[in-house]
Amino acid sequence: MSNIAIAIHGGAGGFSQKGIENEQEIHDSLKAILAPAFDVLKNGGTALDAVETAVRLLENDALYNAGRGACLNSKGKVQLDAAIMNGANLEAGALACIRYVKNPISLARMVMERTKHVLICGEGAEDFAREMNVELVDEEYFITEKQQKSLKTEQEKVLKEEKTETKFGTVGAVALDKDGNLAAATSTGGITNKKYSRIGDSPLIGIGNYANNETCAISCTGDGEFFIRSVVAYDVSCLMEYKGLSLKEACEIVIHDKVKKLGGEGGLIAIDKNGNIELPFNSGRMARGFKTLKEEFTGVYE
């Protein structure tokens, strides 16, 4: 029980300049979400239950780009992605390009536990959701005024051939339970003004999400195309498994060296089998926090 821990993130680079009006609101939200998710662990629950609880709450909070408040694609619609992984047996479930599922992370867990598949997408995933009787909502539930304004701004910049603003708002959680099992969960709306049913790193196992009891659990947030090319989550695990690096050393190499050299921005949250936690990012900011029996932290900037 002494090493139980959970870490969460609400995205890297997803907020405007330092000193934003809702910075305290983000701190309060992260703290409020950490509490019930950690209680799952403290009450003897599994790491899987804890990360699902945390990400469901993040999906329900319009502050973040996942579930309610997700960013909009070029047609003004939402396309949601999510993934979850069990470090005890390397089982995983993921979804891509879904539109009506209130809590994608819970459906991703059903993919893992109730099908033979790992990743399903689009209309097929929606059909599966109906079979599982999960809560479906009208698309209007997800769409906020903030994201409508963001889409308009991005599209105007494209027309003027101006540089678009880098914004990431993926959410995620990693946890270690009393039995030494690790789990990771990630959920996102992707990037504003995305086209062609674009899929980023979040639902891709080993890239935006990964968990292995022998090494660590990882949830990523950032410039998905660069994270895909860097195979970020699995790379951290591999550096630990094959080179014997610590969690801190592996995270530093991947985020501040490999991803950065390619031009990618973002970060990740990580926890190893001993309960060590790392929250590295190379962007200007990342909403993140963690809670253990001895310590609690939330932050947005350095």
Side-chain angles (χ1 to χ4, degrees), residues 237-302:
S237 177
C238 283
L239 287 170
M240 296 175 68
E241 182 175 4
Y242 300 126
K243 294 196 71 174
L245 299 188
S246 68
L247 181 67
K248 181 178 180 62
E249 291 169 334
C251 288
E252 289 291 316
I253 289 172
V254 173
I255 293 299
H256 293 291
D257 184 10
K258 292 187 174 184
V259 172
K260 195 170 184 178
K261 280 182 178 178
L262 288 178
E265 292 186 28
L268 58 81
I269 56 173
I271 185 169
D272 69 15
K273 61 183 182 181
N274 297 313
N276 297 306
I277 295 171
E278 294 295 331
L279 315 168
F281 59 101
N282 64 28
S283 52
R285 49 210 169 268
M286 183 170 81
R288 76 265 187 219
F290 71 84
K291 187 174 178 63
T292 70
L293 287 171
K294 298 179 179 179
E295 188 177 4
E296 182 175 359
F297 164 83
T298 61
V300 176
Y301 302 101
E302 297 287 354

Side-chain angles (χ1 to χ4, degrees), residues 97-146:
C97 297
I98 60 173
R99 293 174 55 186
Y100 305 109
V101 177
K102 182 180 179 182
N103 291 110
I105 198 61
S106 292
L107 187 62
R109 183 169 179 177
M110 291 178 183
V111 173
M112 177 178 70
E113 295 180 340
R114 304 190 190 184
T115 79
K116 296 180 179 179
H117 307 309
V118 170
L119 173 61
I120 61 177
C121 70
E123 292 183 4
E126 299 286 357
D127 291 340
F128 177 64
R130 294 183 183 93
E131 290 178 11
M132 294 295 103
N133 294 315
V134 302
E135 185 174 2
L136 302 177
V137 294
D138 293 333
E139 196 166 26
E140 287 72 22
Y141 164 82
F142 300 105
I143 298 174
T144 63
E145 183 178 355
K146 179 182 74 172

